[in-house]
Amino acid sequence: MSPRSVKLPAPGPLLTRGGWSAFMVALLVVCAVAPVLNLMVPKDSMFHLSDYMVGLLGKIMCYAICALAMDLIWGYTGILSLGHGLFFALGGYVMGMYLMRQIGTDGHYKSELPDFMVFLDWKELPWHWALSDSFIATVLLIVLVPGALAFVFGYFAFRSRIKGVYFSIITQALTFAAMLLFFRNETGFGGNNGFTDFKRILDIPIATQGMRMTLFVITGLTLLGFFLWAKWLVGSKFGRVLQAVRDAESRVMFCGYNPLPYKLTIWTISAVMCGVAGALYVPQVGIINPGEMSPANSIEIAIWAAVGGRATLIGPIVGAFIVNGAKSILTVSFPEYWLYFLGGLFIVVTLFMPQGVVGLVRRWRGGPQARRGPEQAPAATSAATAAARDDVPPMVAVPAEVKA
Amino acid sequence: MRPHNFPSLIRCLCLCLGMAWLLSAMPARALTADDALALVEGGVADRIDALNRLAGAPDERAAALIRAMAAREVQVHEGRVFISGADGVRDAVTGEPAELPEGAQDVMVNNRMRGALQGALAALDLIGAPPARQREAAATLQQRAFDEPDIDMLPLIERALAGELDEAARASLLMAQAAVLLDSEDEARRLEAAVKLGGARQPVVRPLLLQQIERESSEEVKAALRQSLAALERSLQRNAILAQVFSGVSLGSILLLAALGLAITYGLMGVINMAHGELIMIGAYATWLVQVAFKQWLPGWFDWYLVAAMPVAFMSSALVGAAMERSVIRFLYGRPLETLLATWGLSLVLMQGVRSLFGAQNVGVENPAWMSGSVTLLGNLTLPWNRLFIIAFAGLVLLGVAMLISRTRLGLFVRGVTQNRPIAACMGVNTARIDTYAFALGSGIAGLAGCALSQIGNVGPDLGQSYIVDSFMVVVLGGVGQIAGTVYAALGLGVLNKFIEGWAGAVLAKIAVLVFIIVFIQKRPQGIFAFKGREA
């Protein structure tokens, strides 16, 4: 291993002065500017924020939350999850169940039950829909369902010390299996079609401009709140251990730490964040179906984080906006080329931009060292990268300790 | 000359079915007027009796009459029977041309009669026909005997059995004979039939036996029937299990083909190639292109296009793989997570590339003629040729890879570089070139997999996506770096999947297998992964 500085940086403030200013601006934009531009400014004005844009930005903010969650687990802990789409979809499905119950008897079949159950000739709600009438229970479940699944899965995986690509691949298998399960009508989640056609949330009509704006503001606040929380987490002692685990897990263990609780905690937090993002996503987009669990979606979350810059927190948010912004433009005007662009992005970012957009900006502003905040980790390096520097192929890697 | 009052409907039928007439346009021998009348008039049961009697020992005139009946070309008028075929109206008994009298009536053929006619026709066809036609006719007769066992069919069947017969046709006829014997008055013959039917391994015999047990009067025969039923059920059950094992092995060989290339790139080289599925897809498209080329320029050799497609599929995937390795992957050695993302990007590009070139629709790959159809073993165990081909092909590819890795210079280098890259480099091995070769080899095997998979499934731009999760599961379960492990994992997963599928359905089986792998890996990571040292 290359020798690394052992000087411990002192814990700095949560955000720098400039950081706080930027944060306040973002807060203002979300809570005041956007609502005013959308609701108050007349439609024909050039400053009017269209409903389409509100929906799009709201959706992208949900994605940004996912990217943030991915950054915590991948950028800071070095664990690449290819199953985060599952947690996102689970949060979405919990919310979707509540929204389906809110339709009441206004569905196509005018029944108490959701339409798809009438269609399947079911007479009563299945047991797992028991809590879907209560909003409070729904909010709790949005946190608990992805959290519990992540906790159980993570416990077994991390206890067995599954890591690296193996972990990635089994998380991918997990979301793939869940997708197959949710595609079945018998599972009770609407099968192929999932949930759609929502009417109300908290008995308020969902398709109004006011409601859309409310959801937008809530999403924005959640994103900013999660950002601050994540910032605090990675700056804390807990966060430092995470980064140590990422860079040299064996050494962390030799220092007397058990990595399991650290990994498990951040993994669960990350899953919960994704679940919340999914729950905010569904009422804004108006549909949830098992396609959200496809492995491709989960991998896309990773590319948002990578484009923005891993282990920077702000990077993944920026990345989510860049990639999804490009997606909404390209899929409309050049649908043929979107996949070329996305595929190319995966290749270019991994080959030429290991630190993403944030890394580029830092280099442009005078080298990575100059601008690195005290709470920020050295650029994303995984244990595997360290192994690569020693020019040992990973499969037959002799542990560094043995060689030394 | 055709009479002017010839009904137009009949004329149409004559045009369509006139061939039957040509066969029978020979001098008459011994069909009597009474026989002919018995066949066309009276109660249906009596007519069927007459039919079976005639078909049991037919002469040309009787055969012609039966054929004409089946084609509805028979009229009757005042005790005379006429056949109005393509070459005009003839007297059914003499075969001489005749005028169709005014008021002649079409002979009625109801469903029951038609069934009997088909049986009789099949019996007529059996004699001297080519083997394929014999088998078909025997199957019709057997079907008829099982549907409605009638002792009167016996002479007809026995006459057919006396002739020269294809083996499969004879087996069918023996079963048909046993079935009609159940209808016999003679207890001894019924007993004989009951015992004989125990040897049948076809599911259709089951309802027949059950029905006969219901109405059988003799206790002895009843006991024999029960015994036969039990034997039949045992054999059916055994065959069901064998069929499941076969489909499991078949699925396993597909998994093996899909995963074998991955076992090289991932298992030996440590490269996570998410574009592996797309390399399979490219192999399948190469096969399709070869097929199109053969259709265009070498239609006579179409059945052998697959032989030409194999090297083409191998080479095209290998070239794409080599290009991928040279341009992207070699910069990412030792960074598996980055490799994963970059190759995922490559897979998207390849998929969209194929979509742009050949369209988003599936393309049609036809099986060569020798691969369609199936072979039937042990009664009702049907093994499709294309599945058998895939199993054999997977075995050959496996053998080839094993030989290549263990016996050739390239294999030696690959193993050397895998085990210790710096030392191999010190020994003068050009490790970068070996990496490219090994990656191209793994990709080429994916191409071969695509060539094989094109024979059993759809070929479209998304082909690879459906195999990528499965093939990674196989490699991970089998243990990284071991080809033998891949084989066990592929076959084991295939058989396990098919057995769970038997009682839980395809989707649940797939989920159960995935969950099983996840649990298994968590339980035994050391046993599965080739981790070495304390890092594990």
Side-chain angles (χ1 to χ4, degrees), chain A residues 74 78-80 82 152-166 168-170 172-174 176-178 180-182 184 249-250 254 295-297 299-300 302-303 306 310 335-344 346-347 350-351 354 380 382-385 387-388 391-402, chain B residues 266-272 274 327-329 331-357 417-422 465-466 468-470 472-473 476 480 504-508 510-512 514-515 517-518 521-526 529-536:
Chain A
W74 184 28
I79 298 169
L80 174 57
L82 297 184
V152 172
F153 179 80
Y155 177 75
F156 286 108
F158 296 133
R159 198 191 55 161
S160 315
R161 298 200 199 137
I162 296 175
K163 55 179 111 169
V165 285
Y166 310 115
S168 308
I169 287 171
I170 65 169
Q172 187 183 38
L174 182 73
F176 187 66
L180 294 179
L181 190 67
F182 274 64
R184 285 170 61 85
E249 185 165 352
S250 303
F254 285 131
N297 279 23
I299 295 189
E300 233 175 273
I303 204 65
R310 277 166 285 164
E336 279 274 297
Y337 297 103
W338 161 245
L339 276 183
Y340 288 128
F341 175 79
L342 185 66
F346 272 97
I347 299 164
T350 45
L351 282 184
S382 59
T385 350
D391 207 17
V392 179
M395 289 306 128
V396 290
V398 183
E401 292 74 24
V402 177
Chain B
Y266 178 50
L268 291 180
M269 302 173 66
V271 172
I272 313 297
M274 296 298 267
S327 60
V328 175
I329 292 168
F331 302 108
L332 297 169
Y333 280 126
R335 290 157 65 194
L337 296 185
E338 276 85 349
T339 316
L340 190 156
L341 292 179
T343 49
W344 177 263
L346 284 171
S347 85
L348 294 182
V349 171
L350 289 176
M351 236 184 338
Q352 187 62 31
V354 166
R355 217 172 269 147
S356 305
L357 278 177
V417 172
T418 304
Q419 283 165 18
N420 198 324
R421 179 174 296 266
Q465 294 280 305
S466 41
I468 189 71
V469 172
D470 287 341
F472 265 110
M473 288 299 117
V476 165
V480 171
V507 177
L508 280 185
K510 184 125 191 162
I511 294 168
L514 285 174
V515 170
I517 294 171
I518 291 171
I521 286 171
Q522 301 200 339
K523 275 281 167 212
R524 290 202 45 200
Q526 278 91 350
F529 303 134
F531 276 151
K532 286 177 189 157
R534 264 166 283 172
E535 199 72 42

Side-chain angles (χ1 to χ4, degrees), chain B residues 188-378:
Chain B
R189 301 197 81 172
R190 283 210 303 277
L191 189 63
E192 184 194 345
V195 172
K196 223 180 223 171
L197 280 171
R201 295 199 179 89
Q202 283 137 322
V204 279
V205 183
R206 205 170 162 272
L208 183 72
L209 286 173
L210 283 172
Q211 193 187 3
Q212 189 65 26
I213 288 175
E214 283 290 309
R215 65 174 183 214
E216 179 58 57
S217 52
S218 148
E219 279 307 312
E220 198 186 351
V221 179
K222 223 174 203 175
L225 282 168
R226 287 222 176 82
Q227 218 167 8
S228 291
L229 187 65
L232 174 72
E233 271 167 358
R234 267 199 309 279
S235 127
L236 286 183
Q237 207 172 7
R238 189 196 58 209
N239 280 4
I241 291 178
L242 283 178
Q244 247 171 359
V245 171
F246 174 76
S247 56
V249 171
S250 162
L251 176 66
S253 63
I254 291 166
L255 287 177
L256 178 62
L257 274 174
L260 206 54
L262 207 59
I264 292 177
T265 54
Y266 178 50
L268 291 180
M269 302 173 66
V271 172
I272 313 297
N273 184 11
M274 296 298 267
H276 187 78
E278 278 56 47
L279 292 169
I280 295 179
M281 183 259 293
I282 287 172
Y285 268 90
T287 309
W288 172 69
L289 283 177
V290 170
Q291 180 221 257
V292 170
F294 264 68
K295 220 180 234 175
Q296 186 81 37
W297 292 299
L298 288 170
W301 292 79
F302 184 77
D303 273 353
W304 300 104
Y305 84 85
L306 209 55
V307 178
M310 282 174 200
V312 174
F314 181 91
M315 282 317 290
S316 39
S317 287
L319 283 178
V320 173
M324 275 165 51
E325 201 271 348
R326 281 283 90 188
S327 60
V328 175
I329 292 168
R330 74 183 164 122
F331 302 108
L332 297 169
Y333 280 126
R335 290 157 65 194
L337 296 185
E338 276 85 349
T339 316
L340 190 156
L341 292 179
T343 49
W344 177 263
L346 284 171
S347 85
L348 294 182
V349 171
L350 289 176
M351 236 184 338
Q352 187 62 31
V354 166
R355 217 172 269 147
S356 305
L357 278 177
F358 303 111
Q361 302 295 320
N362 286 348
V363 296
V365 176
E366 281 171 38
N367 288 359
W370 51 270
M371 217 196 274
S372 52
S374 56
V375 54
T376 305
L377 297 177
L378 300 172

Side-chain angles (χ1 to χ4, degrees), chain A residues 95-107:
Chain A
M95 189 57 153
M97 284 159 81
Y98 169 74
L99 294 175
M100 285 308 269
R101 295 300 289 150
Q102 281 274 306
I103 293 175
T105 53
D106 289 353

